[in-house]
């Protein structure tokens, strides 16, 4: 297991290099220029040149990449062109909000999704299953932007239970977590339901029934455990989403976060900030996948051997 | 309990724990406090340092005072400068400063402050504001003289800019790059308590304040003792916050929300004249708009009244020249203003050799009159583009609309890849004409590509040779008359600035002062009850 983990960690190095290349060059391929977003009526052409020189934008892309990578290796993500603050400080300021919302939404969607999937599988073919499946379908199709506004209208405006927006206190987290988590519930519930149904049909489950074990024990102790393998895969891929996937939710609920930071930086072509955010999100996805692999390998030795 | 019952119970408990609904989220303090939501254009200001900022919000106008204030009619009023005088040749400005003013840190405001402050702009993004000032001379403790490199009557406008709020020299030098982030010290009616970028700024009243400008009825400490300015990017969410009382005032309301505002008993709004213009920008380097007749025909085919009604719900004004209507420079010869005249537009194209085909599309030398209209992906802009498309069809012009995000649109303009574009600007000074039409600004912001000796000569006179404000006004009128006579743009709409408030929480003066709802009005706003 240790060897497997080490091998996976070593593989991260070339992946990081490729990611850094893609992250750097992709934003420079998009039309636009951050300096246009800095200048106001009255600014002189000389000021444009000064800004370009200050941030190294007058140099070739290769030179800019080498400089960026050099700084990156020392832990310096550069300075935001538009905001004039270190990128790492801006990320650090927004990260806690993203983690708070992302982790809460992931927990909410995972627990609720697994519960809904288990119930649907247990009541397969009944009205309960149909109702849950219906909700799953609805959850995967309702736009989170619209859902957020509807939740605000019902729970904040009509009922007055929670604040409309903001990031002050736990009560302001409730609606964003529900809005961000609903899509995840649908996904986790669907995967859990299918995995539970498929596992229930396997020979070892028939054997357990034949041995006279109570169905409730079989479902929870044996079927659910096996059904969790695809669920873990899905969850590991959602770790990147935890950090940057709630852009629309952050927008609707006026919450700070990495998603909003990235979108604003993209709109302003703030290269260092976009690069810093994208790199951070890409690494989160990669590390998420790594954790998923390790957990899967721990749960299923066959996979560990297959990937060795 | 059977298997199904157990599983259902566990799931219900999990759901309930996940939802965790509970009431109670705010408690109102006894001292008068209020929450404002910043307008969308103000969101994202990374700090409140007026010297090195490229984006400032209303917050800066509450923390810092300026030498001069500008009113809604663009007139200038004393504030930290009690009076000022410009020498006849425009080469000296003398300012008498107000006495008894102190910064939030207790430091005095005097002539030495100004002598420290002006050189601080060197190398900053706002250097151009004081670029014409050669040096500052101290006449006495409360009198300073600016010795100019060149006459610059527009200095008075620059001094009224929010970027010219005066910080405390001691605090500024001590805080370094953290000034405006962790601390922001001015002489204004509010002190900074806390600032969370992209979220909110909390201010507390400066109880020592007694030097309010004559634009405010209240010259002393503000009525609202604790003021939170929140950043809410989504207009719908901000509106719901206002409705529920989470926010007392919105510093910017889209026109489309006005009918809903009027329908709510607890809500009201105030308006100020606009701060910019929506217009069509031609690329004179791209055919067919190299031909002045085609530009004029296109301009005359646009019906500003129809666009005002259908896109902007009748809110704002029709624009018939390039500057906002409160600027005196906008009062050009009415005969030169651009008004809808379809018959003349068709006549011009006929004369220019563009003949209508059987399908109604005009053709010249075998080429159809077909153009691309570039627009950014914002609702009002997109709708304007669609109406323009329909209106230009009436003169036999086929319009294809290309929608991009705002930065890509700028990139297209810079590369001259556009033919016609729907654009907006926000600026309350006639020098916007220089910004968009001077040959020195080709290819961007002068994306029209206009190069003309006469236009540039008039521009140089207006920008560099005006010695007094009156001269400057006259020179800019001539400059705009030249540009409008060459049909380089099609003015469409002048929006108004709307501010909505919750009547159950705040009392807002009927008449707003200042070019925007900033310090002058904020100190007069009272908390209800």
């Amino acid at each position: 297991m240790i060897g497997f983990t080490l091998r996976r960690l070593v593989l991260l190095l070339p992946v990081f290099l490729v990611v850094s290349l893609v992250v750097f060059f992709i934003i420079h391929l998009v039309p636009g220029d951050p300096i246009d977003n800095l200048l106001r009526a009255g600014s002189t052409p000389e000021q444009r040149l000064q800004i370009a020189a200050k941030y190294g934008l007058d140099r070739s892309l290769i030179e800019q990449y080498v400089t960026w990578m050099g700084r990156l290796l020392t832990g310096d993500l550069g300075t935001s062109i538009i905001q004039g603050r270190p990128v790492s400080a801006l990320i650090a300021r927004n990260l806690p909000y993203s983690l708070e919302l992302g982790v809460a939404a992931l927990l909410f969607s995972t627990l609720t999704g697994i519960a809904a999937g288990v119930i649907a599988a247990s009541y397969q073919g009944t009205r309960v299953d149909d109702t849950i499946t219906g909700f799953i379908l609805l959850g995967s199709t309702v736009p989170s932007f619209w859902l957020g506004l509807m939740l605000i209208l019902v729970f904040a405006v009509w009922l007055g239970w929670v604040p409309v927006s903001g990031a002050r206190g736990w009560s302001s987290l409730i609606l964003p977590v529900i809005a961000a988590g609903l899509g995840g519930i649908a996904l986790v519930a669907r995967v859990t339901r299918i995995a539970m149904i498929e596992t229930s049909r396997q020979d070892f489950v028939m054997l357990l029934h034949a041995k006279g074990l109570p169905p409730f024990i079989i479902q929870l102790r044996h079927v659910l455990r096996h059904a969790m393998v695809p669920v873990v895969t899905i969850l590991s891929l959602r770790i990147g989403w935890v950090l940057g996937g709630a852009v629309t939710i952050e927008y609707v609920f006026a919450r700070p976060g990495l998603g909003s930071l990235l979108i604003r930086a993209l709109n302003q072509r703030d290269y260092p900030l976009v690069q810093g955010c994208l790199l951070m999100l890409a690494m989160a996805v990669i590390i998420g996948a790594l954790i998923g692999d390790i957990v899967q390998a721990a749960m299923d030795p066959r996979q560990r051997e297959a990937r060795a | 309990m059977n298997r199904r019952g157990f599983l259902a119970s566990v799931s219900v408990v999990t759901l309930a724990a996940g939802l965790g609904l509970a009431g109670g989220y705010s408690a109102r303090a006894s001292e008068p406090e209020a929450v404002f939501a910043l307008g969308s254009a103000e969101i994202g200001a990374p700090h409140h340092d007026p010297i090195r900022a490229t984006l400032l919000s209303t917050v800066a106008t509450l923390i810092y005072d300026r030498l001069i204030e500008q009113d809604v009619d663009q007139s200038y009023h004393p504030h930290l400068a009690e009076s000022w005088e410009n020498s006849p040749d425009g080469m000296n400005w003398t300012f008498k400063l107000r006495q008894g003013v102190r910064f939030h840190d207790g430091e005095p405001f005097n002539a030495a402050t100004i002598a420290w402050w002006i050189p601080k702009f060197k190398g900053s993004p706002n250097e151009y504001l004081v670029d014409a000032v050669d040096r500052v001379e101290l006449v006495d403790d409360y009198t300073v003289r600016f010795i100019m490199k060149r006459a610059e009557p527009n200095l008075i406008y620059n001094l009224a800019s929010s970027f010219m709020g005066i910080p405390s020299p001691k605090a500024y030098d001590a805080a370094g790059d953290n000034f405006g982030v962790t601390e922001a010290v001015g002489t204004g009616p509010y002190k900074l308590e806390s600032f969370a970028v992209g979220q909110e700024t909390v201010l507390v009243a400066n109880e020592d304040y007694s030097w309010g400008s004559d634009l405010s009825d209240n010259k002393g400490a503000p009525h609202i003792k604790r003021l939170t300015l929140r950043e809410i990017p989504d207009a719908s969410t901000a509106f719901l916050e206002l409705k529920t009382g989470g926010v007392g005032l919105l510093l910017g309301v889209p026109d489309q929300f006005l009918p809903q505002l009027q329908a709510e008993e607890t809500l009201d709004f105030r308006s100020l004249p606009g701060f910019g213009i929506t217009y069509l920008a031609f690329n004179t380097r791209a055919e067919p708009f190299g031909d002045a007749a085609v530009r004029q025909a296109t301009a005359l085919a646009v019906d500003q009244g129809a666009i005002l009604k259908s896109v902007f719900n009748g809110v704002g004004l029709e624009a018939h020249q390039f500057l906002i209507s409160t600027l005196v420079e906008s009062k050009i010869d009415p005969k030169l203003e651009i008004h809808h005249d379809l018959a003349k537009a068709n006549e011009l194209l006929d004369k220019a050799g563009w003949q209508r085909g059987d399908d109604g599309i005009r053709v010249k030398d075998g080429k159809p009159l077909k153009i691309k209209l570039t627009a950014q992906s914002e609702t009002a802009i997109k709708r304007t583009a669609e109406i323009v498309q329909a209106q230009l069809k009436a003169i036999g012009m086929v319009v294809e609309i290309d929608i991009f995000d705002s930065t890509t649109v700028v990139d297209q303009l810079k590369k001259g890849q556009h033919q016609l574009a729907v654009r907006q600007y926000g600026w309350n000074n006639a020098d916007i004409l220089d910004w968009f039409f001077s040959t020195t600004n080709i290819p961007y912001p002068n994306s029209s590509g206009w190069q003309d000796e006469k236009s540039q000569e008039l521009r140089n006179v207006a920008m560099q040779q005006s010695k007094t404000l009156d001269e400057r006004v006259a020179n800019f009128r001539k400059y705009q008359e030249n540009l409008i006579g060459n049909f380089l743009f099609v003015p469409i709409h002048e929006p108004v600035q709307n501010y909505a408030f919750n009547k159950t929480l705040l009392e807002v003066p009927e008449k707003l002062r200042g070019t925007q709802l900033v310090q002058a009005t904020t100190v007069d706003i009272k908390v209800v009850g």
Side-chain angles (χ1 to χ4, degrees):
Chain A
M1 189 66 200
I2 293 170
F4 171 81
T5 307
L6 283 175
R7 272 194 301 278
R8 301 288 296 162
L9 279 171
V10 170
L11 276 175
L12 279 185
L13 287 173
V15 173
F16 172 78
L17 199 66
V18 171
V19 165
S20 75
L21 270 167
V22 172
V23 159
F24 182 86
F25 285 99
I26 204 163
I27 182 64
H28 286 86
L29 289 177
V30 181
D33 182 344
I35 303 176
D36 294 327
N37 292 304
L38 269 182
L39 298 177
R40 295 194 311 275
S43 307
T44 59
E46 290 73 34
Q47 275 184 304
R48 166 178 287 279
L49 297 175
Q50 279 171 11
I51 296 169
K54 183 177 174 184
Y55 292 100
L57 300 175
D58 53 350
R59 285 181 271 158
S60 73
L61 276 185
I62 301 292
E63 277 181 272
Q64 289 183 48
Y65 174 72
V66 171
T67 309
W68 181 64
M69 268 307 280
R71 285 189 183 151
L72 198 60
L73 294 175
T74 63
D76 179 6
L77 289 171
T79 303
S80 157
I81 296 173
I82 304 294
Q83 305 207 29
R85 308 282 303 162
V87 170
S88 52
L90 292 169
I91 289 176
R93 194 176 289 149
N94 284 275
L95 188 61
Y97 294 104
S98 290
L99 280 174
E100 184 183 58
L101 174 59
V103 170
L106 190 69
L107 276 175
F108 170 64
S109 60
T110 305
L111 295 177
T112 315
I114 290 173
V118 169
I119 294 171
S122 306
Y123 289 83
Q124 192 195 349
T126 67
R127 278 187 187 169
V128 176
D129 184 23
D130 290 345
T131 309
I132 292 174
T133 312
F135 273 113
I136 290 170
L137 191 66
L138 199 68
S140 5
T141 50
V142 170
S144 54
F145 187 87
W146 179 85
L147 177 70
L149 281 174
M150 288 304 108
L151 288 171
I152 291 175
L153 204 62
V154 175
F155 293 104
V157 179
W158 293 346
L159 298 173
W161 288 354
V162 285
V164 171
S165 65
R168 283 180 289 185
W170 64 271
S171 60
S172 64
L173 195 61
I174 294 170
L175 296 186
V177 165
I178 296 172
L182 196 68
I185 292 176
L187 183 68
V188 174
R190 201 167 55 227
V191 173
T192 307
R193 179 181 174 276
I194 293 167
M196 288 281 289
I197 291 169
E198 279 179 2
T199 311
S200 301
R201 289 175 187 152
Q202 287 187 18
D203 292 346
F204 79 94
V205 179
M206 306 288 264
L207 183 66
L208 291 169
H209 280 291
K211 278 185 167 180
L213 245 68
F216 152 71
I217 298 288
I218 296 172
Q219 287 286 329
L220 276 189
R221 194 177 290 169
H222 300 281
V223 178
L224 184 58
R225 188 183 166 194
H226 282 80
M228 281 299 97
V229 175
V231 175
V232 167
T233 309
I234 294 292
L235 291 179
S236 64
L237 292 174
R238 284 178 72 78
I239 288 182
W241 173 89
V242 163
L243 293 183
V247 180
T248 50
I249 302 300
E250 287 169 9
Y251 185 80
V252 172
F253 290 96
R255 289 181 61 87
L258 275 190
S260 312
L261 187 71
L262 173 61
I263 293 299
R264 201 158 52 224
L266 269 171
N267 285 335
Q268 297 171 325
R269 307 293 191 268
D270 191 342
Y271 299 145
L273 190 51
V274 172
Q275 288 158 201
C277 289
L278 280 180
L279 194 69
M280 178 93 186
L281 296 178
M283 291 317 292
V285 171
I286 292 166
I287 291 168
L290 174 72
I291 293 170
D293 279 356
I294 294 169
V295 173
Q296 273 188 355
M299 289 171 75
D300 186 352
R302 288 169 302 175
Q303 294 206 23
R304 193 163 63 224
E305 282 154 20
R307 295 179 190 200
Chain B
M1 186 185 282
N2 64 17
R3 170 179 66 103
R4 289 180 175 186
F6 173 81
L7 290 173
S9 306
V10 168
S11 305
V12 168
V13 169
T14 310
L15 269 169
L19 287 166
L21 296 173
Y25 58 89
S26 69
R28 295 191 64 170
S30 55
E31 66 173 6
E33 62 177 301
V35 180
F36 292 2
L38 294 174
S40 58
E42 302 180 278
I43 286 176
H47 55 73
H48 303 307
D49 175 354
I51 294 174
R52 62 188 175 97
T54 52
L55 172 65
L56 281 177
S57 69
T58 301
V59 172
T61 72
L62 301 174
I63 295 174
Y64 310 102
D65 288 324
R66 292 166 283 188
L67 290 177
I68 292 164
E69 298 289 338
Q70 196 171 10
D71 202 0
V72 60
D73 61 358
Q74 313 295 338
S75 60
Y76 297 100
H77 298 258
H79 197 179
L80 292 186
E82 283 185 323
S83 64
W84 59 89
E85 203 177 282
N86 190 10
S87 63
D89 65 356
M91 295 304 287
N92 292 320
W93 286 81
T94 306
F95 296 90
K96 287 264 182 207
L97 305 179
R98 190 184 286 265
Q99 299 188 25
V101 175
R102 287 200 169 268
F103 288 99
H104 304 154
D105 58 2
E107 291 293 303
F109 166 80
N110 51 33
T113 310
I114 305 299
W116 165 88
W117 174 56
I118 295 292
K120 280 282 167 189
F121 283 89
K122 184 81 185 160
S124 79
N126 300 312
E127 185 178 354
Y128 74 95
L129 290 167
V130 290
D131 188 44
V133 179
D134 185 39
R135 63 184 190 279
V136 178
E137 285 182 358
L138 274 65
V139 179
D140 60 41
D141 282 354
Y142 291 97
T143 310
V144 288
R145 183 169 297 132
F146 290 5
I147 310 298
M148 309 296 288
K149 292 176 196 163
R150 61 173 190 277
E152 176 54 295
N154 200 43
L155 180 71
I156 193 167
Y157 168 81
N158 291 346
L159 290 174
S161 154
S162 56
F163 295 93
M164 297 301 274
I166 305 171
S168 157
K170 190 179 170 187
Y172 196 91
D173 288 338
D177 282 349
N178 283 325
F179 191 84
V181 182
T182 53
E183 63 176 311
V185 182
T187 60
Y190 282 98
K191 299 177 186 181
L192 180 71
E193 184 179 281
S194 65
F195 171 45
V197 180
Q199 199 180 346
E200 65 179 26
T201 302
V202 182
L203 304 173
V204 289
N206 175 8
E207 293 299 338
D208 299 328
Y209 198 72
S210 62
W211 46 85
S213 80
D214 63 5
L215 297 187
S216 312
D217 290 335
N218 172 25
K219 308 281 190 265
H223 301 301
I224 300 168
K225 299 302 175 193
R226 196 161 191 276
L227 178 59
T228 303
L229 292 112
R230 287 191 54 200
E231 302 189 21
I232 305 175
D234 181 47
S236 303
T237 307
F239 180 77
L240 292 174
E241 281 281 19
L242 182 74
K243 199 174 161 181
T244 54
V247 162
L249 188 142
L250 303 185
L251 290 162
V253 184
D255 293 342
Q256 63 263 32
F257 280 82
L258 292 185
Q260 283 171 273
L261 271 173
Q262 284 158 334
E264 293 286 338
E265 271 185 25
T266 56
L267 306 183
D268 202 351
F269 72 98
R270 303 274 184 267
S271 296
L272 275 173
F275 208 71
I277 298 285
T278 304
Y279 64 100
L280 293 181
F282 291 112
N283 181 357
T284 62
R285 292 163 296 182
E287 293 306 331
F289 296 121
D291 183 347
V294 179
R295 294 200 300 270
Q296 184 177 1
T298 307
L300 299 181
V302 173
D303 183 350
Q304 289 90 345
I307 295 174
L308 174 66
K309 203 172 163 187
S310 54
V311 179
F312 300 99
N313 299 318
V315 180
L317 301 168
E318 293 177 23
H320 297 287
Q321 48 77 49
F322 200 72
L323 302 175
I324 58 170
S325 54
T326 48
L327 284 172
V328 281
E329 292 93 333
S330 72
K331 311 303 173 203
I332 57 168
D333 181 350
K335 282 182 280 183
L336 292 170
E337 288 184 350
I338 295 172
H339 289 267
H340 178 56
D341 187 343
L342 194 58
K344 193 173 177 189
N346 276 309
E347 192 186 316
L348 282 162
L349 288 177
D350 288 340
K351 278 186 189 168
W354 290 94
Q355 300 304 318
R356 275 193 193 268
D358 295 338
D359 54 0
I361 299 166
R362 289 183 184 270
V363 180
K364 186 179 178 183
D365 302 331
K367 283 186 181 171
L369 188 52
K370 193 174 172 185
I371 61 129
K372 280 192 176 172
L373 176 59
T374 306
Q376 68 191 55
S377 53
E378 190 206 310
T379 310
I381 300 272
K382 279 195 290 190
R383 289 186 61 200
T384 301
E386 285 160 9
I387 305 286
V388 166
Q389 182 185 43
Q391 291 178 347
L392 295 185
K393 197 177 174 188
I395 55 167
M397 187 182 280
V398 179
V399 177
E400 270 180 28
I401 300 173
D402 280 346
I403 304 287
F404 302 102
D405 73 283
S406 59
T407 307
T408 305
V409 170
V410 169
D411 193 63
Q412 294 251 323
L413 299 182
K414 212 185 322 182
K415 290 176 180 160
Q417 291 170 339
H418 66 297
Q419 287 173 294
L420 188 64
V422 185
R423 301 291 292 153
Q424 270 183 330
Y425 79 80
W427 195 249
N428 63 335
N429 192 292
D431 62 9
I432 196 73
L433 294 169
D434 160 66
W435 182 245
F436 285 122
F437 301 107
S438 168
T439 53
T440 54
N441 288 336
I442 292 174
Y444 186 82
N446 180 1
S447 56
S448 71
W450 182 245
Q451 294 192 68
D452 178 78
E453 267 184 40
K454 179 69 183 166
S455 299
Q456 195 61 13
E457 188 188 313
L458 290 168
R459 174 263 173 202
N460 292 342
V461 171
M463 286 293 290
Q464 292 160 358
Q465 293 167 33
S466 307
K467 291 187 174 58
T468 64
L469 268 181
D470 288 343
E471 258 186 60
R472 188 175 189 272
V473 168
N475 290 336
F476 266 107
R477 278 183 184 156
K478 282 183 199 158
Y479 182 31
Q480 186 182 194
E481 286 175 352
N482 169 275
L483 297 173
I484 208 166
N486 283 298
F487 296 94
L488 302 179
F489 48 82
V490 187
I492 295 177
H493 177 245
E494 180 178 341
V496 290
Q497 304 174 82
N498 301 308
Y499 305 96
F501 63 99
N502 190 316
K503 286 189 285 189
T504 65
L505 300 174
L506 297 173
E507 261 178 55
V508 178
E510 284 289 333
K511 192 181 172 197
L512 305 185
R513 302 294 297 270
T515 54
Q516 293 172 300
L517 196 161
V518 285
Q519 189 198 95
T521 299
T522 304
V523 294
D524 282 338
I525 296 176
K526 292 177 184 164
V527 174
V528 172

